[in-house]
Amino acid sequence: MKKIAVIGSNGQLGNCIRKIAPDFELDYEFIFTDSSILDVTDEGQVNDFFYNNKPDYCINASAYTAVDLAETEKDKAFAVNADGVAFLAQACADFKTVLIHVSTDYVFDGDTNLPYSEDDFTNPIGVYGASKRKGEELALEINPHTIILRTSWLYSEFNKNFVKTMLNLFTQKKNWELLLISTGSLQMQMTWQKPSWRSFRLLKRPMEYFIFQTIRKQPGSNLPKKLQNFQNLLLS
């Protein structure tokens, strides 16, 4: 039975994977870890974890995500989002593990009204985005068997998120104003679940390693060929 290690399992995505894991228990053994069990910034802990568990796949959902605070905590942000990813990538390379690394649309500068494609030039404008981009680069450089999944504005029943914040404001019934300073694609975590978590079926097929964005495209836009192929596999 193949093993899937889920790093950062107490976050939104990690909790959603934990919720649906029983649906795949006949095919995969899931190993869930959080920062209290595995500190990704500790190379020794990472190596010990891989030596003891030897996962076939590693989903890295761990991250430093305090976007504003990152500006004053640069070292901490890079320690988790870059150095930690490098340690995971090296361990994956050593144990022939496929690394599925979750990244963000913050690797772009947002200076466009058009949807981004995977091939667009990255240009992060803040510490958080820069740290996540560095993590992408290190993962792809260190472990050739790496898939980067870029996401945006995730929300779910778990943890804090934008949707919960807005709903809370509505229920308070107070006079308030919402200043629109950015646009993005809200992505419900359920889209990572049934039926889209049929993507676990892909793990049984020969894999192409690439950067894939779950950031939604505008209706009618032309999807990159590799994205079309990926979606076709999910639907097959």
Side-chain angles (χ1 to χ4, degrees):
M1 180 180 292
K2 298 290 187 179
K3 294 181 180 180
I4 301 177
V6 181
I7 314 298
S9 60
N10 277 346
Q12 283 197 83
L13 180 55
N15 272 309
C16 287
I17 297 175
R18 188 193 299 273
K19 181 177 180 179
I20 65 162
D23 295 342
F24 301 91
E25 62 184 4
L26 295 180
D27 296 310
Y28 303 103
E29 175 186 348
F30 288 84
I31 306 165
F32 292 96
T33 74
D34 56 42
S35 58
S36 67
I37 301 173
L38 175 61
D39 179 0
V40 297
T41 66
D42 186 323
E43 186 175 15
Q45 282 192 31
V46 172
N47 291 337
D48 289 343
F49 174 82
F50 273 77
Y51 178 81
N52 292 329
N53 294 282
K54 298 178 176 60
D56 298 282
Y57 307 95
C58 174
I59 301 175
N60 181 30
S62 68
Y64 177 101
T65 58
V67 177
D68 295 330
L69 194 57
E71 297 301 317
T72 57
E73 293 187 347
K74 181 177 180 179
D75 290 345
K76 187 174 182 179
F78 271 84
V80 177
N81 295 342
D83 297 340
V85 175
F87 296 151
L88 288 172
Q90 185 60 62
C92 285
D94 292 342
F95 288 90
K96 296 180 173 56
T97 301
V98 175
L99 174 60
I100 303 172
H101 175 60
V102 181
S103 191
T104 174
D105 59 339
Y106 275 81
V107 299
F108 300 112
D109 56 22
D111 190 22
T112 179
N113 293 322
L114 299 175
Y116 284 106
S117 76
E118 291 82 354
D119 298 321
D120 282 335
F121 180 73
T122 57
N123 184 36
I125 58 176
V127 170
Y128 168 68
S131 67
K132 291 294 289 184
R133 178 54 184 156
K134 186 63 176 178
E136 290 183 356
E137 293 172 342
L138 290 170
L140 293 168
E141 175 185 336
I142 295 171
N143 181 25
H145 292 170
T146 291
I147 295 175
I148 305 293
L149 297 180
R150 289 181 181 149
T151 64
S152 68
W153 293 26
L154 300 179
Y155 70 101
S156 70
E157 64 190 281
F158 302 106
N159 302 36
K160 295 180 180 180
N161 55 66
F162 176 79
V163 172
K164 285 186 177 180
T165 299
M166 292 298 100
L167 290 174
N168 183 55
L169 288 174
F170 284 133
T171 58
Q172 290 178 11
K173 297 181 180 179
K174 296 181 179 180
N175 293 327
W176 55 277
E177 294 182 359
L178 177 62
L179 177 63
L180 182 61
I181 59 175
S182 64
T183 59
S185 300
L186 284 170
Q187 295 182 343
M188 188 176 183
Q189 293 287 296
M190 286 299 291
T191 64
W192 289 71
Q193 299 181 35
K194 297 183 260 187
S196 294
W197 265 103
R198 283 181 294 177
S199 55
F200 277 128
R201 294 166 56 188
L202 294 180
L203 303 184
K204 298 181 179 180
R205 306 184 182 199
M207 301 186 72
E208 176 186 358
Y209 303 98
F210 50 71
I211 295 176
F212 171 71
Q213 290 178 178
T214 61
I215 303 168
R216 300 194 188 281
K217 305 312 193 256
Q218 290 179 341
S221 64
N222 294 322
L223 299 178
K225 183 176 180 181
K226 62 186 175 184
L227 172 55
Q228 292 176 329
N229 292 339
F230 191 84
Q231 290 185 328
N232 289 338
L233 284 173
L234 292 181
L235 297 174
S236 64

